[in-house]
Amino acid sequence: MIAEFGLAALWLAAALAGLQLLAGALGLTARGVALGAIVRPVAVVQGLLALIAFVALIVLFCQTDLSVKLVAMNSHSAKPLIYKFAGTWGNHEGSMLLWVTVMGLAGSFVALVERRLPEPTMLATLAGQAFVSLGFYAFLLLSSNPFERISPVPAEGQGLNPLLQDMGLAFHPPTLYVGYVGLSIAFSFAIGALITREVGPAFARAMRPWVLGAWIFLTLGITAGSYWAYYELGWGGWWFWDPVENASLMPWLAATALLHSCSVLAARNALRAWTIMLGVVAFSMSMVGTFLVRSGILTSVHAFAVDPERGSFILVLLAIYIGGALTLFAVRAASVTEGERFAPVSREGALVFNNVMLSAVLGIVLFGTLYPLVAEAMGAKVSVGPPYFNPMSALFVVPMLLVMAVGPLLRWRRDGFTRVRKALAIPAGLIVLAAIGVAAWGGVGLLPFIGLALAGGLAVASLLPLRGRSLRRTPLATWGMVVAHLGVAVALFGMASESAFSVEKLVAARIGETTAVGPWHVKLEGIRPVAGPNWTALEADLTASYAGGSPTKAHPQARFFWSPPQPTSESALLTRWNGQLYAVLGEEADDGRWQLRLWWKPFVTMIWFGGLMIGLGGLLALLGRVASDLRRYVARGKIAYRRERQGR
């Protein structure tokens, strides 16, 4: 009965989404004002029903109820409980149910706490959110029912893709989905503001926390996904420009631009049309990513759907949502002016420049991702990878980073570079010294050379907004900006160092032989069989010593999962302050030697540490904005109370 209960909750949630849309639309008319009062409670109940449906699916997976088709095809009784739980969203239908659940809960939260916008704009926003949710409810119920029963009931399930049987599955997809859905909230805010013509600082201040929250989760999700792929896939890389990786990067680029545009609109009442357009584009990129991953046109560990009809359904939703939003923008464009003007050399000017650079990088990634798919549909095989993405992106990322170093030091509205020239002398000097040092080292490619030269100067420049301030009284939002920009410098240093100085050794070693890789000496002590709950493996016993120090054990594995049958490589990582040793066990040769693949990756951990710093910076900024809004709300309440007392 749990499956039927979950399906009923899903149908009720879909019905309430339709009611929310209808009541919100009618609430904007003179005759339907009374209906507007039910929109907020309906949004709350809709989110709770979606949550109930998702919890029901979790229970079915944890119980391994093989009478449910989705469980039978993606789980197994011998699978560890954590992977049964996380496996709920490790498939197409479950991941889409997670999507609509997060979307419903986000809409509920907006309905409960958002009080800064005029009520008509909030009604239009919640109606827009219901419109988006309704399409995904229809997709689930008509095309991807997660509660479908199967008969006869199989004796055992088929199991989960072994590459997904990792703790990364418990963290990576949910964080990305919260980010995607947060952008749907931004999209709904943009639609609501367009409908009611309320595009101004109040609208930006209301939308900014939701955009910031989505951006934080996207940042953490991309960082976690990069590290998961790095250690799980066994190829030693942290980013491959895979179409599915790009599917999460594109919304992040658009959200980063939207976040800065919101800040300009909230603070200076400028960039109104730009903010609305970016709100539409950011959610559009989420939909494009969903189409790529769920349509079946990609073959990937992330790509769950194999039914072209599902891809067509998502493509129709994409056309309806984005086409409708762009049509509405075209109709309302005359009423959405750009607001206050500013000089090119100003903080607004720097933010606009970087938004243009981010948009250019977004265009490069979008083209490089879709072009091979279009070419293949026309009968041609084209591969687009790092040789295209890296230099093309760098053309716009490098100027963006330079302006990012200067922008926070500029004044709003109008300024001059002469005023900040002295402050930038130290970062500029560091860049020059780093460039000279890396050039003297030699053997470094152009892009790593630029990255290493920029990283130190950018790190110092990111701290300059704190100069002359009382650190205790510095707003959290300013701290957030500083930490996030410093995180960019740290991640850039890690990327450039890993690219410039990595050492790789592919060896065929006998038991007892030692191999040198970078500052490490690695000895193969032996190979032994081991067994897990649903896999068997050959495990290498490695003894590794760093720079002549005491030996450390490492145990890479060559695993074989038996349901479904698939071999995987489990890498072994040894981390030091200046990098990681990465070891992978291969096959045995005829002469008794074993293949070992070893990497020394200097400062590679800085990539993910920088990503976490960027997310932390966003969190600090979000807490600062929320605290500021609460103080403003309390102060407004006190003023109203005094006026009421005086009136009496």
Side-chain angles (χ1 to χ4, degrees):
M1 290 298 295
I2 295 177
E4 287 71 25
F5 180 73
L7 184 59
L10 194 59
W11 273 105
L12 285 173
L16 288 182
L19 177 60
Q20 180 180 331
L21 172 61
L22 182 62
L26 293 177
L28 295 173
T29 65
R31 294 183 178 181
V33 174
L35 277 175
I38 71 169
V39 172
R40 289 181 187 265
V42 165
V44 173
V45 176
Q46 183 221 136
L48 292 176
L49 286 170
L51 178 61
I52 289 171
F54 187 65
V55 170
L57 189 63
I58 291 176
V59 172
L60 292 171
F61 266 85
C62 290
Q63 292 180 346
T64 317
D65 188 342
L66 298 176
S67 67
V68 176
K69 182 179 179 181
L70 188 65
V71 177
M73 294 182 66
N74 296 278
S75 193
H76 192 281
S77 60
K79 192 168 62 175
L81 180 61
I82 181 62
Y83 300 140
K84 291 180 181 179
F85 175 80
T88 306
W89 54 80
N91 55 80
H92 170 72
E93 290 84 354
S95 65
M96 294 310 298
L97 181 56
L98 174 61
W99 177 290
V100 299
T101 300
V102 177
M103 186 176 293
L105 292 175
S108 299
F109 197 47
V110 171
L112 283 172
V113 306
E114 188 55 66
R115 293 291 187 274
R116 288 168 292 189
L117 287 178
E119 194 62 19
T121 304
M122 275 309 305
L123 289 179
T125 297
L126 291 174
Q129 186 70 6
F131 180 61
V132 174
S133 300
L134 200 56
F136 284 97
Y137 280 124
F139 178 60
L140 264 177
L141 293 168
L142 302 179
S143 177
S144 304
N145 179 10
F147 299 103
E148 181 182 351
R149 293 285 190 180
I150 187 174
S151 183
V153 178
E156 192 52 271
Q158 296 181 18
L160 179 67
N161 186 334
L163 292 176
L164 297 177
Q165 295 189 37
D166 185 88
M167 286 302 298
L169 182 64
F171 183 79
H172 171 58
T175 50
L176 280 185
Y177 282 12
V178 171
Y180 289 156
V181 171
L183 295 182
S184 79
I185 296 290
F187 176 80
S188 299
F189 268 109
I191 296 302
L194 277 176
I195 290 174
T196 59
R197 296 182 173 88
E198 292 285 346
V199 182
F203 152 75
R205 283 191 289 269
M207 184 170 73
R208 181 168 54 187
W210 304 98
V211 177
L212 187 51
W215 181 83
I216 292 169
F217 278 98
L218 279 175
T219 301
L220 296 178
I222 292 171
T223 302
S226 169
Y227 190 62
W228 181 15
Y230 168 75
Y231 72 76
E232 178 66 24
L233 297 181
W235 62 285
W238 52 272
W239 195 263
F240 193 62
W241 293 107
D242 178 87
V244 180
E245 291 178 326
N246 296 346
S248 60
L249 177 63
M250 291 186 292
W252 185 86
L253 291 169
T256 305
L258 174 61
L259 183 60
H260 290 88
S261 184
C262 273
S263 297
V264 174
L265 179 54
R268 312 308 303 176
N269 192 21
L271 304 184
R272 293 178 180 176
W274 186 248
T275 302
I276 293 292
M277 180 58 71
L278 284 174
V280 174
V281 169
F283 182 61
S284 301
M285 293 301 101
S286 296
M287 290 293 296
V288 168
T290 303
F291 171 71
L292 290 174
V293 177
R294 301 292 180 264
S295 63
I297 63 175
L298 295 177
T299 302
S300 167
V301 64
H302 306 78
F304 304 125
V306 294
D307 184 359
E309 292 184 5
R310 291 174 173 176
S312 301
F313 203 125
I314 297 175
L315 194 59
V316 169
L317 290 179
L318 178 63
I320 292 173
Y321 294 150
I322 309 310
L326 292 177
T327 301
L328 178 62
F329 181 80
V331 172
R332 289 282 198 264
S335 62
V336 182
T337 61
E338 279 303 317
E340 299 294 331
R341 296 187 176 276
F342 50 85
V345 181
S346 62
R347 188 176 296 188
E348 297 98 322
L351 290 171
V352 169
F353 179 86
N354 278 359
N355 274 4
V356 172
M357 296 298 101
L358 284 167
S359 300
V361 176
L362 173 59
I364 288 168
V365 176
L366 181 63
F367 176 80
T369 303
L370 297 183
Y371 178 69
L373 304 177
V374 175
E376 185 174 353
M378 300 176 66
K381 285 283 187 179
V382 178
S383 177
V384 177
Y388 161 78
F389 286 109
N390 289 344
M392 292 298 295
S393 299
L395 287 175
F396 300 96
V397 169
V398 171
M400 181 187 73
L401 294 176
L402 292 172
V403 173
M404 188 181 82
V406 179
L409 304 178
L410 297 175
R411 292 170 176 164
W412 293 105
R413 202 159 301 230
R414 182 181 296 277
D415 204 349
F417 286 120
T418 55
R419 190 184 63 83
V420 298
R421 183 174 54 195
K422 291 183 179 179
L424 292 171
I426 295 177
L430 280 176
I431 291 174
V432 173
L433 289 176
I436 294 172
V438 176
W441 183 284
V444 177
L446 177 61
L447 293 183
F449 171 82
I450 295 174
L452 289 169
L454 284 177
L458 183 60
V460 173
S462 66
L463 300 174
L464 291 179
L466 300 176
R467 189 186 56 159
R469 288 177 177 264
S470 170
L471 298 184
R472 289 185 177 182
R473 296 182 179 180
T474 301
L476 271 180
T478 302
W479 274 110
M481 176 190 68
V482 169
V483 172
H485 287 184
L486 182 59
V488 172
V490 171
L492 177 64
F493 175 70
M495 295 173 189
S497 296
E498 192 272 344
S499 299
F501 306 122
S502 283
V503 179
E504 179 183 1
K505 283 285 185 71
L506 178 60
V507 298
R510 298 184 189 276
I511 305 299
E513 288 186 351
T514 299
T515 302
V517 53
W520 290 86
H521 285 81
V522 182
K523 182 179 180 181
L524 177 60
E525 301 282 1
I527 303 289
R528 57 193 174 92
V530 294
N534 58 340
W535 51 265
T536 58
L538 291 174
E539 183 176 273
D541 290 325
L542 302 180
T543 300
S545 57
Y546 174 79
S550 58
T552 305
K553 294 292 186 180
H555 303 285
Q557 294 178 345
R559 286 186 182 178
F560 183 81
F561 287 79
W562 44 269
S563 183
Q566 182 176 329
T568 65
S569 294
E570 298 295 319
S571 61
L573 303 176
L574 294 179
T575 304
R576 295 294 181 268
W577 69 273
N578 60 339
Q580 274 188 341
L581 174 69
Y582 187 113
V584 176
L585 175 65
E587 298 178 350
E588 183 182 13
D590 294 336
D591 58 358
R593 295 185 299 173
W594 289 87
Q595 292 180 359
L596 284 177
R597 198 164 190 176
L598 306 170
W599 284 272
W600 165 240
K601 294 181 168 293
F603 298 104
V604 67
T605 52
M606 294 296 101
I607 298 172
W608 304 294
F609 184 63
L612 292 176
M613 288 182 65
I614 295 170
L616 174 62
L619 178 61
L620 292 176
L622 178 61
L623 293 175
R625 299 297 182 193
V626 171
S628 176
D629 288 341
L630 285 175
R631 287 194 296 268
R632 191 181 296 113
Y633 183 78
V634 170
R636 200 177 297 148
K638 289 180 178 178
I639 292 172
Y641 177 74
R642 290 196 199 100
R643 288 176 177 172
E644 184 179 350
R645 291 288 300 270
Q646 291 172 358
R648 291 176 181 175

